Amino acid sequence: VICYNGIMRNIATGKIEYIEDAMTKKDIKKAVDEQTFDFDKRLLETLSWNINQADQIVGHYSTRFDYPYFVSRCMLTKQDDLIPPYGRILHQDTWRMMKTTMKAKRNTLKNFIRQTTGNDEKTFVDLKYWYITHFKDHKLWKKSMDYIIDHCVKDVKMTYEGLQKAEQFNNIG
């Protein structure tokens, strides 16, 4: 996990709060010093805390990628206690909404956003930036982290905007 971004929405009041955290050079140094690949240990802790504050989590393809990846990383870093107990969190997936109710030809986030909002600010994923983030002393480390965080923030905002449209005709819960 390099970073995470999210929006906490109080369904009763409509109030939203942005949440985020990102890997730091200190996190990488600690993993290197301990000779592990556990650079995301701290991030998993803060992500778990935020997940446990929610009654429901929503993402695009998150039931098949993001959440299983979170669970796998918790297990690989021997932090199984960070995984919410089965059934504790309701999990809705805009990918599933799109697949079952919108009958789109492609179920990508880009297509979901186009169909629900008419906008498309989806950024291209340049894998070199993802790779560089694991090398804290690389001259492009800060630029790479900023690129990835910006990409993730845009994805979250677009998913939320699409969700606001899609939840009007999808059962949430």
Side-chain angles (χ1 to χ4, degrees), residues 45-64:
E45 292 169 4
T46 63
L47 179 55
S48 175
W49 187 87
N50 280 307
I51 288 173
N52 280 297
Q53 302 311 301
D55 293 318
Q56 178 184 44
I57 57 176
V58 180
H60 193 83
Y61 206 65
S62 56
T63 56
R64 296 188 178 228

Side-chain angles (χ1 to χ4, degrees), residues 34-55:
E34 295 174 357
Q35 297 184 348
T36 69
F37 198 64
D38 298 347
F39 58 88
D40 55 356
K41 237 176 157 172
R42 182 190 57 78
L43 277 176
L44 294 168
E45 292 169 4
T46 63
L47 179 55
S48 175
W49 187 87
N50 280 307
I51 288 173
N52 280 297
Q53 302 311 301
D55 293 318

Side-chain angles (χ1 to χ4, degrees), residues 17 59 63 75 87 111 132 137:
E17 173 188 353
T63 56
M75 294 169 73
N111 203 33
I132 290 171
D137 296 327

Side-chain angles (χ1 to χ4, degrees), residues 69-144:
Y69 187 79
F70 162 74
V71 170
S72 297
R73 286 302 300 158
C74 286
M75 294 169 73
L76 288 169
T77 59
K78 298 181 179 25
Q79 297 183 100
D80 299 42
D81 58 315
L82 298 179
I83 304 166
Y86 182 77
R88 158 64 183 87
I89 303 292
L90 292 172
H91 194 160
Q92 189 74 18
D93 197 324
T94 56
W95 173 82
R96 177 63 56 199
M97 289 178 188
M98 184 173 199
K99 192 169 179 59
T100 58
T101 62
M102 298 171 80
K103 306 296 187 211
K105 290 181 181 176
R106 296 193 67 220
N107 298 311
T108 62
L109 176 57
K110 185 178 187 91
N111 203 33
F112 175 68
I113 299 310
R114 280 184 179 161
Q115 289 200 357
T116 56
T117 69
N119 286 338
D120 174 20
E121 296 177 34
K122 186 82 176 116
T123 55
F124 173 74
V125 178
D126 189 336
L127 295 179
K128 83 173 179 187
Y129 291 121
W130 294 82
Y131 178 73
I132 290 171
T133 60
H134 294 89
F135 300 94
K136 67 180 179 57
D137 296 327
H138 195 286
K139 65 182 179 182
L140 295 177
W141 189 84
K142 171 92 170 92
K143 180 180 180 178
S144 298

